[in-house]
Amino acid sequence: MVDLGNYNELEIAREVDFGVYLTSEDGDILLPKKYLPEGAKVGNFVRVFVYRDSEDRVIATNLTPYATVGQFAGLLCKDTSSFGAFLDWGLEKDLLVPLNNQKDKMVPGRKYCVYVYLDDASDRIVGTAKINKYLQNDDIQVKEGEQVELLVAAYTDLGYNVIINNKYMGLLYRNEVFKDLEIGDKVPGYIKTIRQDNKIDVTLRRPDADTFSEMDETSAKVMQLLEEQNGTLNLSDKSDPEDIYRIVGASKKMFKRAIGNLYRSGKIEIFEDYIKLRP
């Protein structure tokens, strides 16, 4: 059986002017000429992604979708209609997210985290933004401190909801993020805490990382900024954490440790709302 919505190794059965047909238990499948690997000929096996085209025919491609069946992804909404939204998933035909699979009505130009699945009733590949039922937080198989892959799924008041290893939902706190993140971004992270209610907190920083190294990096950044701004930086240990992160790229806690270290070493002076290089 062809694995619809996934990659398949199929044999080239015959050539036609517009491509080749690949043999399968479900019948021959067209691989258009523009997607045929150079040098491939009858009898060769090719690795292709199999899905349905705009005319609902099963077709093959060597393009790489942003997600296959059974995966989560952050995808851009390109258009909407009375029956659903169409998301760019890297193929010629956009991914349909039916209206009843949307939490809120999707808007073109925005990114949404969806789960891609094969609808049993229609035998079509569709997406859904109602992702909770596809998560597995009731059977967590990762451990605290373990490195994992994080997919940014949504913004929250606390930070970011992230999908861990394509299986679990976790929370990445905003005050521990020192880079711009968007829905759909994939970043390496670490399991910080697994709570009794099976909620997972994650971090981008390795739990056993050397704190002193991070402080040294922050100190160096502060000194660089001071030199670039004529010896004065309009930040202090009383500044807003968001301002500190925006300018220095560090948490307020780490910033305070860094400027404290610079003060003790005689390199800077600390005032109410700014710091400056010592003459």
Side-chain angles (χ1 to χ4, degrees):
M1 297 287 290
V2 168
D3 191 1
L4 196 63
N6 220 314
Y7 295 99
N8 295 256
E9 294 279 345
L10 300 177
E11 184 180 3
I12 299 176
R14 67 184 189 278
E15 295 183 35
V16 292
D17 291 341
F18 44 87
V20 298
Y21 278 96
L22 309 175
T23 187
S24 79
E25 294 180 7
D26 297 320
D28 289 350
I29 299 171
L30 174 65
L31 174 63
K33 190 173 184 178
K34 61 184 175 181
Y35 300 133
L36 183 64
E38 186 176 353
K41 57 187 179 181
V42 173
N44 292 164
F45 281 82
V46 290
R47 184 175 185 267
V48 291
F49 181 80
V50 180
Y51 71 120
R52 291 187 182 275
D53 66 10
S54 56
E55 297 182 20
D56 214 28
R57 299 170 299 191
V58 176
I59 196 167
T61 180
N62 66 356
L63 294 176
T64 302
Y66 301 138
T68 62
V69 163
Q71 292 183 336
F72 298 90
L75 305 179
L76 179 69
C77 178
K78 294 176 63 178
D79 199 4
T80 59
S81 71
S82 59
F83 54 87
F86 299 94
L87 276 57
D88 177 15
W89 66 320
L91 303 179
E92 288 189 0
K93 180 187 177 184
D94 297 328
L95 179 72
L96 172 66
V97 179
L99 280 177
N100 61 1
N101 281 0
Q102 300 176 30
K103 292 194 294 185
D104 299 303
K105 192 171 182 180
M106 292 182 168
V107 178
R110 294 186 183 177
K111 276 189 170 183
Y112 298 88
C113 182
V114 297
Y115 180 79
V116 181
Y117 70 98
L118 185 63
D119 181 61
D120 292 333
S122 64
D123 199 37
R124 294 176 180 171
I125 303 164
V126 296
T128 178
K130 298 177 180 179
I131 62 176
N132 286 343
K133 70 177 181 179
Y134 299 102
L135 297 166
Q136 304 173 32
N137 283 58
D138 56 343
D139 183 26
I140 296 173
Q141 299 295 319
V142 290
K143 299 178 180 179
E144 292 182 3
E146 182 176 334
Q147 184 172 1
V148 291
E149 180 185 73
L150 307 178
L151 169 70
V152 179
Y155 307 112
T156 75
D157 291 339
L158 294 175
Y160 304 88
N161 283 337
V162 294
I163 295 174
I164 304 165
N165 287 356
N166 200 57
K167 291 182 179 180
Y168 319 110
M169 180 64 77
L171 178 62
L172 175 61
Y173 288 95
R174 190 180 307 278
N175 64 358
E176 295 189 9
V177 178
F178 308 123
K179 62 173 74 175
D180 292 330
L181 293 177
E182 296 183 356
I183 291 173
D185 284 351
K186 290 183 178 180
V187 294
Y190 300 87
I191 303 298
K192 185 178 181 181
T193 306
I194 300 175
R195 299 187 235 162
Q196 290 186 343
D197 58 2
N198 279 7
K199 292 182 178 179
I200 306 173
D201 295 338
V202 299
T203 178
L204 301 183
R205 181 171 171 78
R206 196 176 75 245
D208 61 348
D210 185 353
T211 302
F212 291 102
S213 296
E214 185 179 359
M215 185 179 69
D216 289 343
E217 291 176 5
T218 305
S219 298
K221 178 65 174 178
V222 170
M223 291 298 291
Q224 177 188 341
L225 290 169
L226 283 166
E227 290 169 2
E228 291 174 353
Q229 299 181 32
N230 300 318
T232 301
L233 183 62
N234 293 324
L235 291 174
S236 74
D237 54 6
K238 295 181 175 58
S239 295
D240 187 276
E242 292 292 331
D243 291 336
I244 293 171
Y245 168 67
R246 177 175 52 83
I247 297 171
V248 183
S251 67
K252 182 171 182 176
K253 179 179 179 181
M254 186 53 61
F255 175 75
K256 289 174 68 174
R257 292 189 63 179
I259 64 173
N261 183 58
L262 292 172
Y263 173 79
R264 287 188 295 274
S265 62
K267 295 180 179 179
I268 67 169
E269 295 178 276
I270 301 176
F271 297 90
E272 183 73 18
D273 53 2
Y274 68 96
I275 60 176
K276 65 181 296 185
L277 287 172
R278 284 188 182 274

